[in-house]
Amino acid sequence: MNLLSKKIVILAFTIAVVYSNRVYAQEVNTLAGTGTVGSADGAGISSSFHFPYGVAIHPLTGELYVADTDNHKIRKINSSGVVSTFAGLGTSGFKDGSLSVATFSSPTGIAIDSLGNFYVADYANNRIRKISASGVVSTFAGSLVNTPGTIDGNGTEARFTSPTGVAVDSTGNVYVADLFSHKIRKITPAGQVSTLAGSGIIGFQEGSGSNARFNRPTGVAVDWAGNVYVADWYNHRIRKVTPQGDVSTLAGSGAQGSSDGPGNTASFLYPYGIAVDRAGNVYVADGDNHKIRKITPSGTVSTLAGTGVAGSDDGTGVQASFNFPSGICVDSIGFIYVADTENHKIRKISNQTVTALNDGSIANTIQVYPNPAVDQLTIQGAIGSTVEISNVMGQTVFRSEMKHADMNINTSDWAKNSLYLVKIVNANTKTVYITNVLVKH
């Protein structure tokens, strides 16, 4: 449904009564970015990025952080959808220090640990940088003189060659997709670097540790059990590495394609980014397929969102479009965030639910308007229901029981140019989500 339509009319509910008790859909929205190259801070869709590659959710605040690669910055998107510059001066360089003086060179990956420390794959500097919870940037691992290589060792004695993706586990170990070393590296909290898996020779081979082979690994994610998932970019596969370093293929036949299905027959096309949720589902930013894919713990692959053709349309599931999605992360309630790299945007995928009411009352039309709203949002046709509205980070900004035919909600002090989710709960606890309410001022 068009984001800018003046009124959302929920007529599909009657269909839900006839055919299904509950229907799920993945709604794709633009969280931030105009779609044009730039570095402007500001509210949501008035901000701009330049080839963002990495995204991570802060586990303590719920805020989203972006590795804005060609701006050489780390950006922050707060709970109101406002974008600001967290670190980096906007020019390529290498300097440690406070947030106001530190510089990066094409940061591509970002991860945040349970204490609020940040880890950045500083691609062109061949280093892993750390931003402490107090805001001090340091070199966690990698040569201080920017010497690429594959040497293991302690901190700055170690060498990387174009590190691209990073992930951190519950005990503070950091995992690195070391792109042109064709290895997965591990860094302990003390800074000791080792090779978890990969011979360093381009190829495809299962096996343990240095017996395994990768071909330009780009993305890494780690689950609660310490298993590391790898987007094996040029092998068109998703690999799994156990804590002991045993490597297997979770999904992907190795053939270029976009087939869904069982892991060994499904296909990808240069999968770049990867994330894993609490239930063990793996999400893949399937770059050149312009899709977001999902892999269940049993290895079944499906397409979560994306038409398969490059584009920038918001919408539901496979009606939405991306242009080389690369970074991906998932928050604690299942919302997915995507660095839509060649669209210069950050996208959000949320599960929306329509539940049929047993008494058939959903045949009544619910109206939410205007959309976009300026100073007031009106809801009609939901007497006896509870209306709850949350911002892009899932925080509730309004909640009230609807006692009259019309409910007028003051939105004048809400974040401008931001999206909000309207949730209507019927008295019998059945739920309807209405998405894409844009507030402008």
Side-chain angles (χ1 to χ4, degrees):
M1 191 170 291
N2 192 323
L3 178 67
L4 299 180
S5 61
K6 292 297 182 182
K7 188 177 292 187
I8 301 176
V9 182
I10 310 303
L11 296 172
F13 297 166
T14 305
I15 298 174
V17 174
V18 177
Y19 294 107
S20 175
N21 187 55
R22 183 167 290 181
V23 178
Y24 296 94
Q26 285 71 44
E27 190 73 20
V28 180
N29 297 312
T30 297
L31 178 62
T34 61
T36 57
V37 169
S39 61
D41 291 332
I45 58 176
S46 65
S47 63
S48 55
F49 300 85
H50 193 181
F51 294 119
Y53 268 86
V55 284
I57 285 285
H58 197 299
L60 303 178
T61 67
E63 293 168 324
L64 185 69
Y65 289 80
V66 180
D68 193 3
T69 304
D70 277 20
N71 277 324
H72 313 290
K73 291 181 177 182
I74 306 301
R75 313 287 291 280
K76 171 184 170 181
I77 306 177
N78 71 11
S79 60
S80 298
V82 176
V83 178
S84 60
T85 296
F86 178 65
L89 302 183
T91 56
S92 176
F94 169 66
K95 186 175 183 178
D96 289 334
S98 66
L99 296 176
S100 61
V101 302
T103 55
F104 303 85
S105 187
S106 300
T108 54
I110 185 169
I112 308 170
D113 69 20
S114 60
L115 300 176
N117 299 301
F118 297 71
Y119 302 91
V120 178
D122 198 1
Y123 177 87
N125 276 326
N126 295 300
R127 299 176 175 104
I128 304 303
R129 312 288 290 283
K130 179 178 179 178
I131 308 174
S132 70
S134 60
V136 177
V137 180
S138 61
T139 299
F140 188 49
S143 169
L144 290 176
V145 292
N146 194 11
T147 303
T150 63
I151 299 171
D152 291 335
N154 189 57
T156 56
E157 298 173 357
R159 303 288 184 269
F160 300 86
T161 304
S162 303
T164 303
V166 286
V168 60
D169 68 18
S170 59
T171 60
N173 295 301
V174 176
Y175 301 89
V176 181
D178 198 4
L179 180 67
F180 290 120
S181 289
H182 312 289
K183 292 181 176 182
I184 305 304
R185 315 289 290 279
K186 178 180 178 179
I187 313 173
T188 68
Q192 187 67 35
V193 180
S194 61
T195 298
L196 178 65
S199 67
I201 300 172
I202 291 177
F204 169 73
Q205 186 169 303
E206 314 283 33
S208 181
S210 60
N211 291 320
R213 292 185 182 183
F214 300 89
N215 191 348
R216 299 175 178 87
T218 48
V220 284
V222 59
D223 68 15
W224 62 272
N227 297 300
V228 178
Y229 300 88
V230 181
D232 196 359
W233 195 26
Y234 270 54
N235 275 326
H236 312 288
R237 291 180 169 101
I238 304 303
R239 314 287 289 280
K240 179 180 178 180
V241 187
T242 69
Q244 296 74 36
D246 296 325
V247 180
S248 59
T249 297
L250 177 67
S253 65
Q256 298 182 20
S258 60
S259 298
D260 291 331
N264 61 347
T265 62
S267 54
F268 300 87
L269 187 59
Y270 299 104
Y272 196 94
I274 194 165
V276 60
D277 68 16
R278 292 180 175 181
N281 297 296
V282 174
Y283 301 91
V284 180
D286 194 3
D288 279 17
N289 273 325
H290 312 293
K291 291 182 176 183
I292 304 302
R293 314 287 290 280
K294 178 181 178 180
I295 310 172
T296 66
S298 63
T300 300
V301 179
S302 60
T303 297
L304 193 68
T307 62
V309 177
S312 61
D313 291 338
D314 290 336
T316 301
V318 296
Q319 296 175 353
S321 56
F322 302 86
N323 192 354
F324 190 69
S326 56
I328 188 168
C329 67
V330 58
D331 69 15
S332 60
I333 58 175
F335 288 165
I336 298 166
Y337 301 87
V338 178
D340 194 2
T341 302
E342 295 194 6
N343 277 326
H344 313 289
K345 291 181 176 182
I346 305 302
R347 314 288 289 279
K348 179 181 178 181
I349 306 174
S350 52
N351 286 320
Q352 309 307 323
T353 310
V354 175
T355 305
L357 306 185
N358 294 333
D359 61 3
S361 62
I362 56 175
N364 296 324
T365 297
I366 298 175
Q367 298 179 354
V368 181
Y369 65 94
N371 192 9
V374 179
D375 295 319
Q376 179 175 287
L377 184 69
T378 298
I379 299 176
Q380 294 180 335
I383 297 177
S385 299
T386 298
V387 175
E388 182 174 298
I389 303 176
S390 56
N391 61 25
V392 291
M393 292 302 176
Q395 298 173 327
T396 300
V397 298
F398 177 87
R399 190 176 189 277
S400 180
E401 183 181 351
M402 190 162 177
K403 298 180 179 180
H404 305 287
D406 294 353
M407 173 180 279
N408 297 316
I409 302 167
N410 182 8
T411 62
S412 61
D413 59 349
W414 294 8
K416 64 180 180 180
N417 297 327
S418 293
L419 290 168
Y420 290 84
L421 178 72
V422 178
K423 174 181 175 182
I424 300 176
V425 182
N426 188 268
N428 66 357
T429 73
K430 302 297 183 179
T431 303
V432 175
Y433 288 83
I434 303 171
T435 59
N436 291 351
V437 176
L438 178 66
V439 172
K440 301 181 70 174
H441 297 298

